[in-house]
């Protein structure tokens, strides 16, 4: 007779950037630690093709059960106003969705624990009522987690807007944060975006533990500070478990465009191709996209570029259509003649590309990235140096840490007051990463961290031991 597996639930938030790392954690709990996992999915009356494709993947293992929460009627909660920003929209939908959480967890037989997302901390209250330990899985860097934990203290200590502070913000035990790098949501404390962020980060001490998608070899200072600094001990900060890097290990190359990317890469020399994409939701302005195209052309480097319809409203212009391959003709959005002039040197892909497969290909030698944490980890795990091109959320912070602290990226230079990065600077930074001396140093550093990433997830590695520690709490 088969012994029943211990049962936990995992609750990610909306958006592929949250869904994917939570799904990888769920897979790891099933495959490496013998759990049954109920994977709870927030849904709305506006289906996501990319989400459905991910959750219906043939790579979902047995004992990982997808449970869709009752759909939220977005029209009913009045989010059609164009002034409603991404985080406010996400948090409002999530709060509405979690009204069903108590009955769902009860119907599942009250799992041993719930692992949830930063923007779903209402789940802590439900879990307390049901006597279920609730853990947070933070899908950002350890450095950003330190900032979030410190934010309530900063909010109490500072009267003016953080963006107006004369000096960088000193999070205990971490590198100073320039005010120009601050996450969008803390630049104005009067708006809903800040109120939602502050609400959730102020509830972090309610968690039974915080799992972080990073590891000691990548971020030793921030991890040590969160675990040992007196300020974080006073908060009090829950036990912190660095369990990363948890990234997508598999990808289904089901359509012609995806196969075309890989087949094109097969014909290129090793380490010769720059991959350019801005994550699951990032977009550029028309003017910036034009400069990027012309800078690429000037650099004469091989490239694969995922091109989306430009937008001047926000760097997160495609967030709610993330992963969807739409009818989109890049010729309309690129300089006249660009595709003809770069034929054979570059490949332009519409809207979406198989990032895991491209970064893992031996011909890929660089990654121009928005510096979302998932993409940064995927690049490091594959040993690919980055050009840091942040757009929104915490990406400016990530870009600085990846460049100055971790040493795996190069950032384009922008003069104060400039709105866009010009073609000559783009040419310079592309050549730097792909063939320059500075690029060789960065390439060497990222290769070291590739080895470190593999070792930490081995059965005798620190991240494996960290997750095992949590798992043992759940099994007892």
């Amino acid at each position: 007779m088969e012994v029943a597996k211990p049962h936990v639930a995992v609750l990610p938030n909306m958006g592929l950037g949250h869904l994917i790392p939570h799904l990888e954690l769920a897979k790891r709990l099933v495959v490496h630690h013998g759990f049954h996992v109920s994977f709870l999915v927030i849904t709305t009356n506006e289906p996501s093709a990319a989400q459905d494709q991910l959750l219906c993947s043939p790579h979902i293992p047995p004992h990982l059960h997808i449970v869709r929460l009752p759909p939220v009627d977005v029209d009913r909660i009045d989010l059609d106003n164009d002034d409603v920003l991404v985080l406010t929209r996400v948090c409002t939908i999530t709060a509405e969705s979690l009204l069903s959480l108590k009955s769902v967890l009860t119907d599942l037989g009250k799992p041993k624990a719930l692992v949830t997302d930063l923007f779903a901390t209402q789940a802590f209250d439900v879990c307390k009522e049901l006597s279920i330990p609730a853990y947070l899985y933070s899908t950002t860097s350890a450095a950003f987690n330190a900032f979030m934990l410190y934010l309530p203290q900063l909010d109490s200590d500072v009267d003016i807007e953080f963006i107006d502070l004369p000096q960088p913000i000193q999070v205990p035990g971490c590198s100073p944060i320039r005010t120009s790098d601050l996450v969008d949501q803390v630049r104005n404390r009067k708006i809903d975006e800040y109120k939602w962020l502050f609400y959730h980060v102020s509830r972090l001490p309610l968690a039974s533990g915080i799992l972080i998608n990073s590891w000691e070899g990548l971020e030793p200072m921030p991890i040590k500070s969160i675990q040992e600094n007196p300020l974080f001990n006073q908060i009090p900060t829950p036990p912190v478990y660095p369990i990363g890097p948890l990234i997508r290990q598999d990808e289904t190359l089901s359509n012609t465009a995806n196969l075309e990317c890989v087949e094109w890469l097969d014909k290129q020399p090793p380490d010769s191709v720059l991959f350019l994409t801005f994550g699951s939701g990032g977009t550029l302005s028309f003017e910036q996209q034009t400069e990027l195209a012309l800078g690429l052309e000037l650099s004469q480097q091989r490239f694969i570029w995922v091109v989306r319809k430009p937008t001047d409203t926000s760097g997160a212009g495609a967030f709610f259509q993330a992963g969807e391959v739409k009818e989109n003709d890049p010729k309309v959005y690129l300089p006249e003649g660009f595709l003809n002039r770069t034929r054979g040197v570059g490949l332009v892909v519409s809207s979406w590309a198989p990032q895991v497969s491209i970064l893992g290909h031996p011909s890929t030698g660089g990654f121009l990235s928005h510096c979302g944490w998932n993409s940064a980890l995927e690049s490091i795990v594959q040993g690919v140096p980055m050009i840091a091109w942040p757009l929104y959320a915490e990406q400016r912070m990530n870009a600085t840490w990846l460049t100055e602290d971790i040493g795996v990226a190069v950032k384009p230079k922008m003069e104060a007051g400039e709105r866009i990065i010009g073609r000559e600077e783009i040419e310079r930074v592309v050549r730097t990463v792909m063939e320059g001396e500075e690029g060789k140093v960065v390439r060497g550093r990222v290769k070291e961290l590739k080895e470190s990433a593999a070792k930490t997830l081995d059965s005798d590695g620190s991240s494996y031991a960290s997750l095992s520690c949590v798992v043992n709490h759940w099994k007892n």
Side-chain angles (χ1 to χ4, degrees):
M1 183 176 176
E2 185 180 357
V3 178
K5 294 177 178 290
H7 177 206
V8 297
V10 174
L11 171 64
N13 212 318
M14 300 175 64
L16 295 183
H18 294 258
L19 192 70
I20 289 169
H22 278 80
L23 187 59
E24 293 305 320
L25 170 61
K27 289 179 187 176
R28 198 161 185 88
L29 291 172
V30 169
V31 174
H32 293 271
H33 299 280
F35 274 77
H36 171 79
V37 176
S38 293
F39 194 76
L40 312 183
V41 181
I42 293 170
T43 65
T44 72
N45 60 327
E46 300 171 346
S48 164
Q51 177 174 291
D52 290 343
Q53 183 180 6
L54 185 69
L55 298 176
C56 295
S57 164
H59 304 295
I60 300 288
H63 302 293
L64 201 171
H65 181 212
I66 306 298
V67 179
R68 287 175 170 81
L69 299 179
V72 174
D73 185 346
V74 176
D75 300 326
R76 189 176 63 79
I77 54 177
D78 191 26
L79 290 174
D80 287 337
N81 189 331
D82 290 340
D83 294 333
V84 178
L85 298 177
V86 169
L87 182 60
T88 297
R89 184 180 174 88
V90 166
C91 289
T92 304
I93 292 171
T94 300
E96 186 78 9
S97 180
L98 295 189
L99 296 176
S100 65
L101 183 61
K102 181 179 178 181
S103 62
V104 170
L105 291 175
T106 303
D107 290 346
L108 289 171
K110 292 184 19 177
K112 291 270 190 180
L114 173 76
V115 181
T116 192
D117 186 274
L118 172 61
F119 300 121
T121 64
Q122 295 93 337
F124 295 166
D125 303 325
V126 176
C127 287
K128 182 177 181 181
E129 191 177 344
L130 296 176
S131 299
I132 298 173
Y135 289 73
L136 182 93
Y137 178 30
S138 179
T139 57
T140 61
S141 66
F144 188 65
N145 276 275
F147 173 75
M148 289 191 296
L149 286 161
Y150 181 60
L151 182 59
Q153 183 68 50
L154 186 68
D155 184 87
S156 173
D157 292 345
V158 174
D159 293 330
I160 62 174
E161 294 291 355
F162 304 141
I163 196 75
D164 295 326
L165 286 168
Q167 299 295 329
I169 293 169
Q170 183 61 66
V171 177
C174 300
S175 296
I177 300 170
R178 300 186 193 103
T179 55
S180 57
D181 286 340
L182 281 172
V183 59
D184 296 331
Q185 287 78 15
V186 305
R187 289 168 170 249
N188 181 347
R189 286 192 270 179
K190 299 180 184 68
I191 63 173
D192 287 344
E193 296 275 286
Y194 181 77
K195 292 170 185 174
W196 274 116
L197 179 66
F198 187 83
Y199 168 77
H200 287 296
V201 301
S202 64
R203 290 165 59 81
L204 294 180
L206 301 177
S208 297
I210 300 175
L211 284 60
I212 296 179
N213 199 7
S214 188
W215 73 101
E216 292 170 1
L218 182 70
E219 296 188 275
M221 275 179 49
I223 289 172
K224 183 177 181 181
S225 179
I226 294 171
Q227 292 176 332
E228 299 180 9
N229 188 281
L231 181 135
F232 291 115
N233 289 335
Q234 282 173 7
I235 285 175
T237 300
V240 170
Y241 304 96
I243 62 168
L246 299 188
I247 64 166
R248 284 178 292 182
Q249 301 293 334
D250 40 53
E251 202 166 39
T252 303
L253 300 177
S254 55
N255 64 50
T256 304
N258 286 351
L259 290 169
E260 181 188 3
C261 290
V262 176
E263 289 169 358
W264 188 85
L265 279 168
D266 289 341
K267 300 171 186 174
Q268 311 308 318
D271 291 334
S272 68
V273 177
L274 177 69
F275 176 46
L276 303 91
T277 185
F278 295 97
S280 56
T283 54
L284 300 177
S285 69
F286 182 85
E287 186 181 9
Q288 183 62 84
Q289 195 153 281
T290 298
E291 289 298 311
L292 180 53
L294 296 174
L296 270 180
E297 185 179 344
L298 286 171
S299 78
Q300 300 181 314
Q301 302 296 312
R302 292 176 175 88
F303 65 87
I304 290 181
W305 182 12
V306 180
V307 174
R308 292 197 182 104
K309 179 179 179 180
T311 172
D312 289 319
T313 55
S314 166
F319 183 88
F320 287 101
Q321 294 82 42
E324 296 181 17
V325 180
K326 296 190 168 186
E327 289 298 322
N328 174 31
D329 184 357
K331 289 195 294 290
V332 178
Y333 314 123
L334 294 173
E336 186 175 352
F338 171 79
L339 293 173
N340 287 330
R341 294 192 300 271
T342 57
R343 183 173 285 119
V345 175
L347 179 65
V348 170
V349 183
S350 171
S351 298
W352 190 253
Q355 180 164 306
V356 173
S357 301
I358 292 172
L359 287 175
H361 197 286
S363 294
T364 302
F367 182 24
L368 191 152
S369 170
H370 66 309
C371 298
W373 193 242
N374 294 322
S375 290
L377 291 179
E378 288 175 9
S379 199
I380 292 167
V381 166
Q382 299 297 348
V384 178
M386 283 171 271
I387 296 172
W389 192 300
L391 296 178
Y392 61 93
E394 84 283 8
Q395 294 163 13
R396 284 182 295 271
M397 290 184 181
N398 290 346
T400 296
W401 292 324
L402 292 166
T403 303
E404 299 178 9
D405 289 38
I406 300 174
V408 294
V410 174
K411 252 200 313 193
K413 294 182 174 67
M414 279 187 77
E415 298 299 326
E418 283 187 344
R419 293 183 302 105
I420 63 167
I421 302 168
R423 65 194 72 172
E424 294 84 3
E425 177 59 14
I426 292 165
E427 176 193 10
R428 184 196 70 80
V429 79
V430 169
R431 287 184 179 275
T432 295
V433 166
M434 299 304 291
E435 60 184 26
E437 290 303 312
E438 185 182 351
K440 289 178 184 176
V441 174
V442 172
R443 193 173 302 276
R445 173 63 175 152
V446 80
K447 298 293 184 190
E448 290 174 9
L449 286 170
K450 176 181 179 179
E451 293 182 15
S452 171
K455 287 178 182 175
T456 197
L457 291 174
D458 282 347
S459 57
D460 58 350
S462 63
S463 286
Y464 187 95
S466 191
L467 183 54
S468 296
C469 182
V470 182
V471 162
N472 289 334
H473 287 311
W474 299 340
K475 286 181 176 178
N476 293 332

